[in-house]
């Protein structure tokens, strides 16, 4: 049976067509899979498991139906939905995994992650990541009213877009926001694997190098990007 990997769906209420595409994928393809792995940024933003969004409810129902049908669902946090917690995971019937984590993928040890940890040239982002992954920061943030958390998320999105525009104007966006070669090599070496799968960069491709094979998942803005792996084949669907 085929194991499926997806990431960077960035689902939100303003993009109902993307949510419908994801739910259709769950019903028509994932239902036949050995397992489904979601490697972060399932949502455009997630400010706590008490988020009452329609999208969050629809996704929870779809994933729970898949899990109840016997297909294991695994999730690694992304840079947009790192606050997705145990309560929502339970609603979905999915297992939360550490970033990174190693699995046995049809007999091949494989490193899974969102991918942002590999983008070490982006020092400003790595500092932000370190702050927001601190359990004390998260507890203080989640203690705020929902309206305040939603406002923070909107401000963070605007700041991210503005910074990317500045990097683009400076001609450094392609390098700063991509993975660092030394970080990739270290990940292969430290985890004793010859294959890794991640998302985050929105640069889907299969890279074969001396260190091993690195598979980058695509986003879901135009169409779904899905990695399908079975014992004999690796197929990456790339968005147009």
């Amino acid at each position: 049976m085929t194991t499926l990997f997806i990431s960077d769906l960035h689902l939100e209420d303003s993009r109902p067509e993307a949510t419908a595409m994801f739910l259709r994928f769950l019903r028509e393809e994932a239902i036949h899979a050995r397992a489904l792995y979601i490697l972060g940024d399932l949502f455009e933003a997630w400010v706590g498991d008490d988020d009452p969004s329609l999208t969050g409810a629809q996704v929870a129902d779809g994933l729970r139906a898949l899990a109840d049908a016997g297909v294991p669902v695994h999730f690694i946090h992304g840079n947009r939905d790192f606050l997705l917690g145990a309560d929502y995971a339970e609603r979905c019937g999915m297992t939360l995994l550490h970033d990174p984590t190693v699995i046995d993928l049809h007999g091949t040890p494989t490193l899974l992650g969102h991918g942002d940890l590999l983008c070490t040239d982006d020092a400003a982002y790595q500092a932000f990541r370190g702050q927001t992954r601190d359990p004390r920061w998260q507890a203080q943030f989640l203690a705020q009213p929902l309206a305040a958390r939603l406002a923070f998320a909107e401000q963070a999105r605007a700041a991210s877009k503005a910074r990317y525009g500045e990097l683009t104007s400076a001609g450094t966006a392609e390098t700063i926001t991509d993975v660092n070669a030394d970080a990739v090599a270290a990940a292969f070496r430290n985890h004793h694997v010859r294959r890794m799968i991640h998302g985050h960069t929105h640069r889907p491709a299969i890279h074969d190098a001396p260190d091993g094979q690195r598979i980058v998942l695509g986003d879901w803005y135009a169409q779904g990007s899905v990695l399908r792996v079975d014992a004999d084949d690796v197929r990456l669907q790339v968005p147009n």
Side-chain angles (χ1 to χ4, degrees):
M1 295 178 68
T2 301
T3 304
L4 304 174
F5 298 85
I6 57 176
S7 72
D8 299 284
L9 288 82
H10 295 273
L11 301 178
E12 56 181 335
D13 285 354
S14 65
R15 298 177 60 232
E17 69 287 349
T19 302
M21 179 170 58
F22 174 59
L23 296 176
R24 187 167 58 251
F25 162 77
L26 296 181
R27 293 191 306 268
E28 296 179 1
E29 179 171 2
I31 192 68
H32 305 294
R34 180 186 186 189
L36 171 65
Y37 289 84
I38 305 170
L39 303 189
D41 285 1
L42 174 59
F43 297 104
E44 174 66 10
W46 192 261
V47 297
D49 289 356
D50 58 342
D51 188 325
S53 72
L54 174 62
T55 300
Q58 291 174 326
V59 168
D61 289 345
L63 288 173
R64 168 56 71 175
L66 182 67
D68 287 347
V71 179
V73 180
H74 306 275
F75 178 83
I76 286 180
H77 293 101
N79 57 294
R80 299 282 186 166
D81 50 17
F82 58 87
L83 287 170
L84 191 153
D87 288 347
Y88 187 74
E90 174 62 26
R91 283 177 62 190
C92 297
M94 64 185 181
T95 301
L96 299 178
L97 301 179
H98 292 292
D99 184 4
T101 194
V102 176
I103 66 168
D104 183 329
L105 182 55
H106 300 282
T108 300
T110 301
L111 181 66
L112 306 180
H114 178 56
D116 53 341
L117 280 171
L118 301 171
C119 299
T120 55
D121 291 329
D122 193 345
Y125 169 73
Q126 294 299 333
F128 173 78
R129 189 187 193 284
Q131 177 191 37
T132 56
R133 297 308 194 277
D134 187 321
R136 292 169 298 179
W137 183 95
Q138 293 188 1
Q140 292 173 356
F141 180 81
L142 292 172
Q144 298 180 38
L146 178 61
R149 286 179 272 139
L150 290 170
F152 175 87
E154 189 60 34
Q155 293 171 359
R157 289 169 62 181
S160 177
K161 291 179 180 178
R163 183 166 182 273
Y164 187 80
E166 293 172 356
L167 292 174
T168 300
S169 297
T172 57
E174 287 299 312
T175 54
I176 293 294
T177 62
D178 203 355
V179 300
N180 174 280
D182 290 339
V184 169
F188 277 121
R189 183 173 61 252
N190 294 339
H191 294 278
H192 309 288
V193 298
R194 297 282 300 166
R195 176 192 284 163
M196 75 169 69
I197 303 170
H198 69 82
H200 181 64
T201 64
H202 297 198
R203 296 173 172 90
I206 298 178
H207 302 276
D208 290 307
D211 291 323
Q213 183 181 69
R214 181 171 65 92
I215 304 174
V216 187
L217 307 176
D219 59 58
W220 279 54
Y221 284 109
Q223 67 183 66
S225 176
V226 182
L227 174 66
R228 301 172 176 90
V229 181
D230 56 35
D232 303 312
D233 194 20
V234 176
R235 291 161 288 147
L236 177 63
Q237 176 180 316
V238 178
N240 294 326

